[in-house]
Amino acid sequence: YHYWPGYGYPYSIQTTVVRYVPIDPYATRGPVVFFPPEPPPLGTPMPDDAPRRGHEIAAAPELGTYLGESFYPQLSTRLHLGNLSERQLKELAEYRAARAALLEELRGRLAATRGLAPMQRARELESLGRAQAERLEALARREEALRTGLLRGGLIGALGDSGDWNQHRRWRLGTSQSLDREQTLGLEFRVMRAAAFYQDGLSAEQRGLVREVAMELQAEAYGTRAAEPATAADERLVFFPPATARVRFALDLPAPLTARIEEFRAQRKALKAELRDVLYTRDAESRQARTAALRRLAVDQAVRIQAMEVLAEEIRLDIAALGRPVRNPPPPLPPPDLAARITALQTEREYLNIELLGELARLRRAADAASPLTAAQVREQLAAFRKANRTRYESLAATQAALRRELAAHFATGPRPVSEASIDALLNARDDAQTPAALWQKYSDYADAVFTPGLSPEQRQLLFGGALEQLGFPLPSGERMP
């Protein structure tokens, strides 16, 4: 899932044809934009830092406090240009202050009610939700005003450039007769990712669903093709409100609860499929026509989105009634000998990744030279790198497989079963801050936003944004708009 924007998936060696014209995503003329990192599944270790491609455009550190906001890309362009007006700086400060006050109040009530029975706690939190509702609505209006307002004025406006990702885009989806949809996945991902932030006509809830569509497309388009088949635990990775949050439910849940979860997944999948189809098929239409179509869809989907939220709350109440963790708990720490071997594996893997990223950077510099490499030449040279390091790759794979077997055998004698996903988390954790106990502490707000009954959808999104900031993401680098 770590195919995050700006994290090194190979845009520079992709060649896609739309309207029979080769599209190089780096050969663009728009301003620089930064997209937020995609939230990881609950309890997953964070990467130590973003993989480097060679020509990174560093994100402004201030963006780290807006990871959950719909104006993140618009603000990123402004910060990169350094042209925020005094009025916009004031609006941002007022937004942060209002958000911080609501979040502090919510966290305080969550802490104060943590020892209560589930239903009593839910009633206490519902009371706070009613008290905060008006201020949360005002905060949402401020956020939308910033999302649209950051595209106008200042140097961007003076140059006749709105800062909209779509303004200079000369290619459109669904217009080529030579390629099927699967072949344009990379471009469809880019359109969906941008639509979640730039497209008018979407409701706040739909923006979250479109981001999930983009996350799924990103993994489909840029994920490794040689991955092992998904395990049962991986197949149970569920997008569960607030939007873009993902959890792996335990495999031994009661059948009625499992049926509810599957019904929820089906409803969410249907809503996202409709959004994806409208955005894809209307991409070549005018902005006004596309916005009108999406406004109609927003009205059509509003009742179904609300019904889906009701079902999600019923699932949370069922989970609370179980009186035990619904997610697969993290495994205990491995014995010292296995821990040392895991560290050695991780170190060697990082060295190999650094060398590969260096090769990608060298190839990209060559592609930018007077006689650029063709896509076929780039692929050939990357294949040569992998061939030259085949022994190291095979050794890493064999070592990891052996460690996974030994960890599974070790934990099989413990008091409770340990999932393959949890073992993979151990193999990928890098330091004390990434140990299972420390990770779950960092994910406490994330878990509350997803599982605690009684919170309103707006409170969940507020708390989730605070959780993302606490996780301390390395911010993805920038890219040119098309």
Side-chain angles (χ1 to χ4, degrees):
Y1 72 91
H2 280 303
Y3 301 105
W4 294 350
Y7 274 54
Y9 49 77
Y11 271 160
S12 58
I13 60 172
Q14 301 297 317
T15 301
T16 307
V17 177
V18 177
R19 292 180 177 167
Y20 308 100
V21 178
I23 298 298
D24 177 0
Y26 280 111
T28 55
R29 58 196 180 110
V32 172
V33 63
F34 302 76
F35 287 97
E38 307 301 0
L42 177 62
T44 307
M46 295 289 95
D48 291 334
D49 201 356
R52 300 303 179 190
R53 292 186 309 224
H55 299 302
E56 293 79 12
I57 307 173
E62 301 95 305
L63 289 170
T65 192
Y66 299 107
L67 296 175
E69 268 66 34
S70 63
F71 57 79
Y72 182 105
Q74 292 90 329
L75 177 60
S76 77
T77 299
R78 289 285 191 171
L79 289 172
H80 182 72
L81 292 172
N83 70 343
L84 283 166
S85 67
E86 290 297 325
R87 177 182 59 80
Q88 289 168 331
L89 288 170
K90 181 181 177 182
E91 289 172 349
L92 285 166
E94 290 173 347
Y95 176 85
R96 287 196 308 272
R99 183 188 63 181
L102 285 162
L103 186 56
E104 181 180 3
E105 188 176 2
L106 176 55
R107 283 172 169 160
R109 186 66 64 89
L110 284 165
T113 59
R114 205 166 293 280
L116 299 179
M119 292 305 298
Q120 184 181 358
R121 190 186 192 205
R123 287 192 293 270
E124 289 284 334
L125 294 173
E126 287 170 358
S127 175
L128 176 63
R130 290 189 293 271
Q132 288 190 327
E134 187 174 340
R135 286 181 291 157
L136 284 165
E137 290 176 6
L139 187 71
R141 289 193 295 271
R142 285 177 184 264
E143 181 179 357
E144 178 61 14
L146 284 164
R147 188 190 71 81
T148 57
L150 286 167
L151 295 178
R152 299 188 295 270
L155 181 59
I156 292 179
L159 295 176
D161 195 333
S162 70
D164 191 327
W165 188 86
N166 293 289
Q167 183 175 13
H168 296 300
R169 181 157 60 101
R170 292 174 292 182
W171 51 268
R172 297 289 167 176
L173 298 174
T175 57
S176 172
Q177 301 301 314
S178 62
L179 297 177
D180 59 32
R181 194 164 184 176
E182 184 176 352
Q183 292 175 290
T184 62
L185 280 175
L187 294 181
E188 188 177 355
F189 152 65
R190 299 183 75 208
V191 169
M192 299 297 166
R193 179 185 60 171
F197 301 96
Y198 292 97
Q199 178 62 56
D200 292 331
L202 295 167
S203 68
E205 295 81 7
Q206 286 177 314
R207 292 193 188 282
L209 292 174
V210 173
R211 280 198 70 186
E212 292 180 8
V213 170
M215 291 166 68
E216 292 165 341
L217 282 168
Q218 188 178 28
E220 187 177 357
Y222 299 108
T224 174
R225 299 294 189 268
E228 297 176 1
T231 64
D234 291 330
E235 291 170 354
R236 293 188 65 81
L237 188 62
V238 179
F239 280 105
F240 199 79
T244 71
R246 289 171 289 174
V247 297
R248 282 190 179 92
F249 288 101
L251 301 178
D252 58 346
L253 298 176
L257 178 53
T258 298
R260 282 180 183 267
I261 293 170
E262 291 307 315
E263 172 61 21
F264 173 86
R265 294 181 74 174
Q267 290 183 15
R268 201 169 189 86
K269 181 178 179 181
L271 289 165
K272 289 193 289 190
E274 291 176 2
L275 281 163
R276 178 182 173 181
D277 285 343
V278 170
L279 286 166
Y280 187 96
T281 58
R282 303 270 184 167
D283 188 51
E285 297 182 2
S286 68
R287 175 181 177 182
Q288 293 78 8
R290 188 167 57 252
T291 298
L294 287 166
R295 283 178 176 153
R296 291 192 295 270
L297 182 61
V299 172
D300 178 64
Q301 288 192 338
V303 173
R304 293 156 60 198
I305 289 174
Q306 185 177 8
M308 185 178 62
E309 291 287 351
V310 170
L311 177 57
E313 189 67 3
E314 292 173 354
I315 291 170
R316 292 187 189 99
L317 290 169
D318 287 347
I319 289 169
L322 289 177
R324 65 177 179 84
V326 72
R327 57 187 181 269
N328 289 321
L333 294 177
D337 60 326
L338 285 179
R341 290 167 57 198
I342 290 171
T343 300
L345 168 73
Q346 293 163 346
T347 301
E348 173 61 16
R349 185 167 53 205
E350 286 182 0
Y351 280 135
L352 189 55
N353 285 339
I354 289 169
E355 292 177 28
L356 175 58
L357 290 168
E359 181 69 7
L360 284 171
R362 186 189 69 78
L363 292 173
R364 181 158 175 223
R365 286 193 296 271
D368 291 339
S371 299
L373 295 170
T374 67
Q377 289 173 319
V378 172
R379 285 193 292 269
E380 287 174 5
Q381 295 203 30
L382 286 175
F385 175 87
R386 296 188 182 98
K387 183 177 180 180
N389 290 275
R390 177 180 297 172
T391 301
R392 294 172 68 188
Y393 279 113
E394 291 176 349
S395 176
L396 279 174
T399 301
Q400 180 153 326
L403 282 169
R404 185 179 285 111
R405 289 193 298 269
E406 291 182 51
L407 286 168
H410 171 76
F411 292 132
T413 61
R416 56 178 171 80
V418 174
S419 70
E420 291 185 27
S422 295
I423 291 175
D424 285 340
L426 280 176
L427 290 172
N428 290 310
R430 282 297 298 142
D431 52 42
D432 290 342
Q434 301 273 43
T435 61
L439 274 173
W440 286 109
Q441 181 61 36
K442 291 181 71 173
Y443 276 95
S444 60
D445 275 358
Y446 189 133
D448 276 336
V450 172
F451 285 121
T452 301
L455 298 177
S456 69
E458 296 77 15
Q459 285 176 313
R460 294 189 190 283
Q461 202 61 54
L462 174 70
L463 187 61
F464 189 59
L468 299 183
E469 186 176 355
Q470 282 185 338
L471 287 173
F473 287 108
L475 300 179
S477 56
E479 60 190 65
R480 289 280 176 184
M481 293 185 189

